[in-house]
Amino acid sequence: MSQRIEKPTLSGQRIKTRKRDEKEKYDPGSFRDAILQGLNEPNIDLEQVSKFLDTAGSKLDYRRYGEALFDILLAGGILAPGGTLADFDALKTQSEVCIFSASNDLETLKNHAQLFTKLIRRYKYLEKTLEDEFKKVVMFLKGFTPEQREKLAKVSAILLAGGQISAGVLAKVQQDHLVKDGIALEFVIEVFKTWLGEKDSNAVWASLRKAGLDTKLLEFLPTSKRSIEFLSETFKSHGLTQLTDNLKAQENKSVKKELQQQVVELLKESTSVDEIICHVKDQMKKNGLPEHEVVVLLWISLMTSVDWNKRQELVHEQAIKHLRQYTSLLSAFTSSTKAELALLVKVQEYCYDNMAFMKVFEKILVLFYKTDVVSEDSILKWYRDAHSSKGKSIFLDQTRKFVEWLQSAEEESGEED
């Protein structure tokens, strides 16, 4: 008869979990009710609201419920996906002290935006939460009324101008359903109108560039209307002419970059100078490019299409030999003094930025003079007052004798006349 073997058991001391180590249940509903209790005090003004929010942060967990806090200040309650107010515990309470319930005038909305600003100054950890909050709510635009969208756009612009949120927030508006229905374009136009009232166009454009949006503005347009012309006309019709100028400059930059790549390819394929001139002139006419910008573009193309010798003494000879082949290309685009001076300044800056070319500047200048790329008058003007500050003393000293020779020749010619 077999004896039953008792199974081994674990013995030891049971460790009681400390109350401070217990994970607190996530309860945004209770947080909301605590905030609403303070916001819904009779006859409370925004100054009192600000003081309440400041002191409530020491009792309520803003770090954990920061998103809920900003939802309340924006919409009066906690937002559910889609933009509707969440209904915790069948409690249908909300605050009237919020952006969506505020009067739709700029001064009032600025005062409401101050609540956000003061909060993130007092509680620095809320800065990221505020950015994330706006990235979230702009995706809910379809769930808001047109008036609520307008108020949200104005407050977004106020916070963008103050640096409390970044222009990266606007990228979240480029959702297919918002773009398709024209809501995205309508929203950003309202943002730009208010933003440009607070900041100059260069500051606004710099913020867009930093967020990578300067080249993606077309993505706010429905696919069927996605063109620079349509966007420019839309901006102009809403009084955003400052942005239209920046937009044209951006487009001009893209066109020049593409043309430069084309010229480099043509040079590497040993295309004839006449063919290159024809191609560049066609692109100039098509895109409205000014001559003084095109000649600079050609200079850059010529200098980037060559693998330069690493030995400095050989670079000088190589540079003159290379440029001599294409002086007719450059002279085709220096019919004005402005274009000639733009070329001279660019050559000066290139030689300064590339040490191997420092001592060859005068030889390039003489070559361009002899082949009618630049005129005597333009060289003298460059020498006197139109030169760049880059390497100024070096290049003026290097070309002094040549310029003196030009001046004496000019004086002799004047005496003969």
Side-chain angles (χ1 to χ4, degrees), residues 110-126:
K110 278 184 178 181
N111 291 333
H112 276 268
Q114 270 294 102
L115 293 176
F116 295 100
T117 305
K118 287 177 180 178
L119 269 172
I120 64 173
R121 282 178 184 165
R122 175 70 175 83
Y123 301 99
K124 294 291 285 182
Y125 56 80
L126 286 175

Side-chain angles (χ1 to χ4, degrees), residues 13-51:
Q13 186 181 359
R14 287 185 67 187
I15 300 170
K16 189 177 179 182
T17 308
R18 293 180 181 181
K19 193 170 183 180
R20 70 182 184 192
D21 294 333
E22 289 177 8
K23 193 170 184 181
E24 190 183 341
K25 181 186 172 186
Y26 182 67
D27 186 12
S30 296
F31 175 83
R32 177 201 61 181
D33 295 342
I35 293 292
L36 292 185
Q37 189 178 352
L39 298 186
N40 291 341
E41 287 285 332
N43 303 317
I44 194 167
D45 59 26
L46 290 182
E47 188 61 40
Q48 291 169 318
V49 168
S50 183
K51 287 177 182 177

Side-chain angles (χ1 to χ4, degrees), residues 178 182-190 220-222 230-231 234-235:
L178 298 176
I183 294 173
L185 181 61
E186 180 187 277
F187 181 79
V188 294
I189 282 173
E190 194 61 49
F220 289 109
L221 297 173
F230 182 83
L231 186 59
T234 304
F235 278 176

Side-chain angles (χ1 to χ4, degrees), residues 28-198:
S30 296
F31 175 83
R32 177 201 61 181
D33 295 342
I35 293 292
L36 292 185
Q37 189 178 352
L39 298 186
N40 291 341
E41 287 285 332
N43 303 317
I44 194 167
D45 59 26
L46 290 182
E47 188 61 40
Q48 291 169 318
V49 168
S50 183
K51 287 177 182 177
F52 163 71
L53 292 172
D54 189 29
T55 54
S58 59
K59 303 169 191 172
L60 301 174
D61 192 351
Y62 282 178
R63 193 181 292 274
R64 195 174 192 197
Y65 297 109
E67 183 184 343
L69 174 62
F70 290 132
D71 273 357
I72 294 165
L73 295 177
L74 271 169
I78 295 176
L79 290 168
T84 57
L85 286 177
D87 190 14
F88 290 104
D89 304 324
L91 216 69
K92 295 184 179 179
T93 54
Q94 66 181 80
S95 173
E96 291 300 307
V97 184
C98 67
I99 283 159
F100 285 175
S101 298
S103 174
N104 192 10
D105 67 87
L106 195 59
E107 202 55 43
T108 301
L109 293 174
K110 278 184 178 181
N111 291 333
H112 276 268
Q114 270 294 102
L115 293 176
F116 295 100
T117 305
K118 287 177 180 178
L119 269 172
I120 64 173
R121 282 178 184 165
R122 175 70 175 83
Y123 301 99
K124 294 291 285 182
Y125 56 80
L126 286 175
E127 285 182 351
K128 186 179 185 304
T129 311
L130 181 64
E131 177 98 359
D132 292 341
E133 171 72 10
F134 274 79
K135 284 179 179 178
K136 179 192 76 175
V137 294
V138 295
M139 292 193 285
F140 297 162
L141 290 176
K142 204 168 185 176
F144 303 145
T145 66
E147 188 182 15
Q148 287 173 339
R149 291 199 290 264
E150 188 179 334
K151 290 175 184 177
L152 180 60
K154 288 176 180 177
V155 170
S156 299
I158 293 162
L159 295 174
L160 281 163
Q164 284 79 43
I165 59 174
S166 73
V169 164
L170 299 179
K172 295 295 180 180
V173 185
Q174 294 173 334
Q175 307 294 313
D176 290 342
H177 65 286
L178 298 176
V179 171
K180 185 181 176 184
D181 295 340
I183 294 173
L185 181 61
E186 180 187 277
F187 181 79
V188 294
I189 282 173
E190 194 61 49
V191 170
F192 290 148
K193 281 161 70 175
T194 306
W195 197 358
L196 285 166
E198 301 294 310

